[in-house]
Amino acid sequence: MAVVAVVGAQWGDEGKGHIVDILAARAQTVIRYGGGNNAGHTVVNRHGTFKLHMVPAGIFEPATLNIVGNGTVIDPKHFLGELDGLTARGIVVDNLRISDRAHVIMPYHAMQDRFDEALKGDAKIGTTGRGIGPAYADKMARIGIRVADLRDPALFRERLTAVLTIKNRLLTTYYQAEPLDFETIYREYVAYGQRLAPYIADVYPDVQHALESNQSILLEGAQGVLLDIDHGTYPFVTSSQPGIAGASQGAGIAPSEIDHVMGVFKAYATRVGSGPFPSEVDGVAADALRQMGKPWAEVGTTTGRLRRVGWFDAVAARYATRLNGIDRLAITKLDVLDEVAEISICVGYRHNGQLINHPPSQPETYAEVEPVYEVMPGWLSPTQGVRTWADLPANAQAYVNRLAELCGAQVSMVSVGPGHDQIIEVMPVL
Ligand code: IMP
């Protein structure tokens, strides 16, 4: 019995869904702790292929309690759509709770997100346009609407009146847009509150019960730690804390209760949106990594945008590992490298002739660093059917071992395809 956090350890899209889906089946409680419907992952299991954005991956196990934690931001319309999609395909969602402390993404948040991006021009972040940044900003500014507020129409009226006064002033004067109609939003969101009511709860007792009864608990991350608001490539980051600190805060679990931090890394690197990416490649190398036309092609689950691709960046990976106390690694999509004859790993950055071994804090400097590569021979044989470490080609083993050595953590899982069974488990955490 253990508490395990699964964190994305690059720029998101590491294949966390696949790992979490396997581990969720062994956990009694799964808690999604941060982000919103900017996240998205594809889960392939015995029920079929699902694209999940907010609902924890344990939803497919009827005996598993699935909690959407206080650290998330929830777009109720989108969330209900996801629930409807699951129930339409026969998945029972009674085992779901939404923390009443989670914040609600309101219509003005998506408007602000898009207006701000347009105003920034070339300096835009490349957000998902889902209103994530403005929703977290309002939480911090103490003008957020929480899920609990939606359940109580009178209280919601009071809260919305206060907030919409501010927002409509902002929309009409600063953004020079039309004001939003109070009654329209009020009615729509009260209706969402009614539909979500069976799932909304103060989850503190559930979480404490899970801890006290020594359950296996999985803390499910979203995005990646290089998108962290503090430690990521600011300002090209998301507005939450995808790492271990966010896991503790966003799930309501003390840091000392967490037994293992599993960092999920793709065997190479991808990034969506703007921002530094020293090991980025284009041309033929990019085509090999992007895998267009395949079900696991590097296209965003949420936005459909083509992902930027590059070699594994061990400098950023070590930084992510150290900052988050990652002690176990899941290396995903190893099979994508099956046909690559020479595989590069970025093992250092050079800046103005000097070698540096961690990401610079300013994106302008970060964008200037030159990657220093180490090259390893590929294995040039298919790995999708491999199920044990011993059956992996020697060069594939050597590559994975080198990544582990550079990160400074032990390998727990390696994925060799999108299927539920396409996992090599080296050292189980749950
Ligand atoms: P936001 O989270 O929509 O504000 O977007 C901020 C940045 O984070 C953009 O570069 C997005 O592309 C990136 N981002 C947000 N969520 C994800 C994710 O789940 N995977 C990959 N990138 C993401």
Side-chain angles (χ1 to χ4, degrees), residues 11-13 38-40 113 125-130 132-133 223 227 237-239 272-274 305:
W11 284 286
D13 308 318
N38 48 347
D113 195 354
I125 291 164
T127 70
T128 59
R130 301 289 200 265
I132 305 298
Q223 286 81 43
L227 291 173
V237 292
T238 189
S239 296
V272 207
S274 322
R305 291 184 285 182

Side-chain angles (χ1 to χ4, degrees), residues 229-291:
I229 188 80
D230 284 290
H231 299 290
T233 48
Y234 193 91
F236 303 105
V237 292
T238 189
S239 296
S240 61
Q241 297 160 310
I244 195 60
S248 171
Q249 181 75 356
I253 286 197
S256 54
E257 302 276 7
I258 300 171
D259 298 294
H260 291 294
V261 185
M262 179 180 276
V264 185
F265 292 89
K266 241 175 231 180
Y268 47 101
T270 61
R271 176 163 202 171
V272 207
S274 322
F277 184 3
S279 64
E280 184 170 13
V281 295
D282 53 20
V284 180
D287 293 343
L289 298 177
R290 205 169 267 129
Q291 303 270 297

Side-chain angles (χ1 to χ4, degrees), residues 107-127:
Y108 41 80
H109 290 139
M111 293 171 75
Q112 282 181 259
D113 195 354
R114 288 179 195 152
F115 287 147
D116 285 347
E117 283 283 272
L119 285 170
K120 282 180 192 145
D122 287 347
K124 72 171 193 239
I125 291 164
T127 70

Side-chain angles (χ1 to χ4, degrees), residues 20-21 23 41 56 95 99 145 192 233 238 254 301 314 355 379 393 405 408:
V20 164
D21 185 41
L23 296 178
H41 54 237
N95 52 341
S99 167
I145 303 277
Y192 294 147
T233 48
T238 189
T301 314
L355 270 184
W379 43 96
E405 184 183 24

Side-chain angles (χ1 to χ4, degrees), residues 62-343:
T64 304
L65 180 65
N66 288 273
I67 298 177
V68 180
N70 59 277
T72 62
V73 286
I74 298 173
D75 178 332
K77 182 178 182 185
H78 190 275
F79 193 93
L80 285 163
E82 199 169 321
L83 287 187
D84 289 344
L86 285 165
T87 46
R89 291 175 65 190
I91 310 297
V92 179
V93 296
D94 298 347
N95 52 341
L96 178 73
R97 304 264 188 292
I98 305 169
S99 167
D100 56 0
R101 289 178 163 84
H103 277 247
V104 181
I105 302 178
M106 299 294 291
Y108 41 80
H109 290 139
M111 293 171 75
Q112 282 181 259
D113 195 354
R114 288 179 195 152
F115 287 147
D116 285 347
E117 283 283 272
L119 285 170
K120 282 180 192 145
D122 287 347
K124 72 171 193 239
I125 291 164
T127 70
T128 59
R130 301 289 200 265
I132 305 298
Y136 277 113
D138 281 2
K139 171 178 174 174
M140 291 305 178
R142 294 156 296 176
I143 53 168
I145 303 277
R146 301 199 300 174
V147 168
D149 303 333
L150 293 186
R151 241 188 346 197
D152 181 338
L155 187 70
F156 179 53
R157 178 172 282 281
E158 223 174 89
R159 298 249 202 273
L160 186 65
T161 304
V163 180
L164 207 58
T165 307
I166 299 171
K167 294 294 173 182
N168 272 341
R169 176 82 66 88
L170 192 71
L171 287 174
T172 52
T173 55
Y174 177 63
Y175 294 110
Q176 301 189 340
E178 292 298 313
L180 293 170
D181 179 57
F182 177 93
E183 285 302 328
T184 309
I185 299 181
Y186 175 74
R187 276 197 296 272
E188 185 180 341
Y189 280 72
V190 165
Y192 294 147
Q194 278 167 3
R195 280 205 59 203
L196 289 173
Y199 309 105
I200 300 173
D202 179 351
V203 298
Y204 172 80
D206 295 306
V207 175
Q208 289 307 310
H209 170 75
L211 288 168
E212 281 156 18
S213 50
N214 212 15
Q215 288 187 6
S216 292
I217 303 175
L218 188 66
L219 307 182
E220 177 182 340
Q223 286 81 43
V225 302
L226 299 176
L227 291 173
D228 180 87
I229 188 80
D230 284 290
H231 299 290
T233 48
Y234 193 91
F236 303 105
V237 292
T238 189
S239 296
S240 61
Q241 297 160 310
I244 195 60
S248 171
Q249 181 75 356
I253 286 197
S256 54
E257 302 276 7
I258 300 171
D259 298 294
H260 291 294
V261 185
M262 179 180 276
V264 185
F265 292 89
K266 241 175 231 180
Y268 47 101
T270 61
R271 176 163 202 171
V272 207
S274 322
F277 184 3
S279 64
E280 184 170 13
V281 295
D282 53 20
V284 180
D287 293 343
L289 298 177
R290 205 169 267 129
Q291 303 270 297
M292 290 310 291
K294 304 231 176 104
W296 55 95
E298 293 297 354
V299 180
T301 314
T302 299
T303 57
R305 291 184 285 182
L306 268 195
R307 294 178 186 144
R308 299 158 67 193
V309 293
W311 300 116
F312 190 89
D313 184 339
V315 179
R318 170 122 188 127
Y319 171 80
T321 304
R322 298 298 305 154
L323 276 174
N324 291 280
I326 292 170
D327 62 338
R328 297 287 185 270
L329 305 177
I331 306 289
T332 62
K333 300 184 94 168
L334 186 70
D335 56 299
V336 169
L337 300 177
D338 283 352
E339 290 164 23
V340 182
E342 291 193 325
I343 306 172

Side-chain angles (χ1 to χ4, degrees), residues 35-51:
N37 59 324
N38 48 347
H41 54 237
T42 307
V43 171
V44 184
N45 60 27
R46 64 187 184 282
H47 303 284
T49 301
F50 296 84
K51 289 191 190 307

